[in-house]
């Protein structure tokens, strides 16, 4: 894999590597990795801007065939950074609206990406982290992954992510988990449709390769999804 942008593989230069954007040698596979493992890949305004920059680069690359979205370390994403939210408390109404719009646009960029986006859920996904998973076309979770829409514990509602999450898991499940804030495991997430499958690999956190029971490597599924979507688009155009 090569790197896109400056900053040691970060997106957009400036010496930052809070988001890594790596591109395969043939340009077909773009890997976008949230890279703040010390805070469980929580996102702030810098992360939001750099994820958007990464997906803008995908749109501009005619060779791109899929994106793999993941998190560095043991977590996928803890959602919004607490320090980030504390700063927002001092924002004006206009600043809060602009910030919410930028956050929504990040999720929407993932959701509307022209090529398939595969979530590699290597660990916990909480709050906005669940929102990112819901925006992807396909999601694979490690057996140890845990999920939660825990905003209610802070006296908040999952407002920005709610259209994406509700579309993915349905109104019934969304009503339950938005209100209770309870955590659920990867198998429950699979049952609800939030994730497409739970990895059955030898390593608990390994969602890249199949085990000895016939499970399929992520790279193979990525190619299959890309081909399937291309076939659907061709049928829509010519039938």
């Amino acid at each position: 894999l090569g790197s896109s942008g400056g900053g040691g593989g970060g997106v957009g230069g400036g010496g930052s590597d809070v988001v890594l954007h790596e591109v395969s040698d043939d340009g077909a596979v773009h890997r976008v990795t949230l890279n703040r493992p010390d805070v469980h890949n929580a996102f702030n305004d810098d992360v939001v801007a750099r994820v958007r920059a990464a997906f803008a680069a995908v749109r501009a690359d005619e060779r791109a065939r899929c994106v793999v979205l993941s998190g560095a370390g043991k977590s996928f994403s803890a959602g919004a950074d607490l320090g980030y939210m504390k700063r927002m408390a001092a924002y004006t109404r206009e600043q809060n609206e602009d910030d919410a719009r930028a956050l929504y646009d990040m999720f929407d960029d993932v959701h509307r990406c022209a090529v398939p986006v595969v979530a590699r859920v290597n660990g916990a996904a909480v709050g906005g982290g669940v929102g990112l998973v819901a925006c992807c076309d396909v999601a694979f979770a490690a057996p140890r992954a845990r999920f939660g829409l825990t905003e209610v514990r802070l006296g908040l509602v999952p407002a920005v992510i709610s259209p994406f999450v509700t579309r993915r898991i349905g109104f019934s499940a969304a009503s339950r988990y938005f209100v209770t804030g309870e955590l659920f495991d990867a198998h429950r997430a699979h049952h609800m449709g939030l994730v497409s499958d739970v990895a059955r690999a030898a390593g608990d956190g390994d969602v890249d390769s199949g085990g000895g029971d016939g499970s399929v490597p992520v790279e193979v599924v990525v190619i299959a999804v890309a081909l399937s979507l291309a076939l659907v688009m061709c049928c829509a155009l010519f039938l």
Side-chain angles (χ1 to χ4, degrees), residues 20-75:
L20 303 178
H21 181 194
E22 300 169 301
V23 184
S24 62
D25 292 337
D26 61 359
V29 180
H30 288 243
R31 287 184 176 268
V32 178
T33 305
L34 306 180
N35 190 37
R36 302 182 73 207
D38 53 325
V39 291
H40 301 283
N41 301 313
F43 41 78
N44 54 20
D45 46 359
D46 190 21
V47 172
V48 170
R50 292 177 182 277
V51 169
R52 296 203 65 199
F55 277 83
V58 172
R59 289 196 301 271
D61 189 348
E62 295 181 353
R63 305 170 302 165
R65 293 295 178 267
C66 66
V67 180
V68 178
L69 179 63
S70 190
K74 294 184 177 181
S75 299

Side-chain angles (χ1 to χ4, degrees), residues 102-187:
L103 186 59
Y104 177 86
D105 287 342
M106 177 189 73
F107 291 116
D108 200 45
D109 284 348
V110 177
H111 173 57
R112 293 181 181 273
C113 185
V115 299
V117 182
V118 178
R120 179 185 178 276
V121 189
N122 53 305
V126 179
V130 174
L132 279 178
V133 175
C135 289
C136 296
D137 298 292
V138 182
F140 294 95
R144 63 181 174 85
R146 294 294 180 270
F147 303 82
L149 294 153
T150 56
E151 290 89 341
V152 67
R153 300 183 186 184
L154 300 174
L156 304 172
V157 294
V160 174
I161 64 172
S162 59
F164 306 104
V165 174
T166 302
R167 177 186 61 85
R168 192 66 173 263
I169 68 175
F171 283 102
S172 178
S175 296
R176 170 181 173 176
Y177 290 103
F178 285 3
V179 171
T180 65
E182 62 189 293
L183 298 177
F184 50 95
D185 64 17
H187 294 286

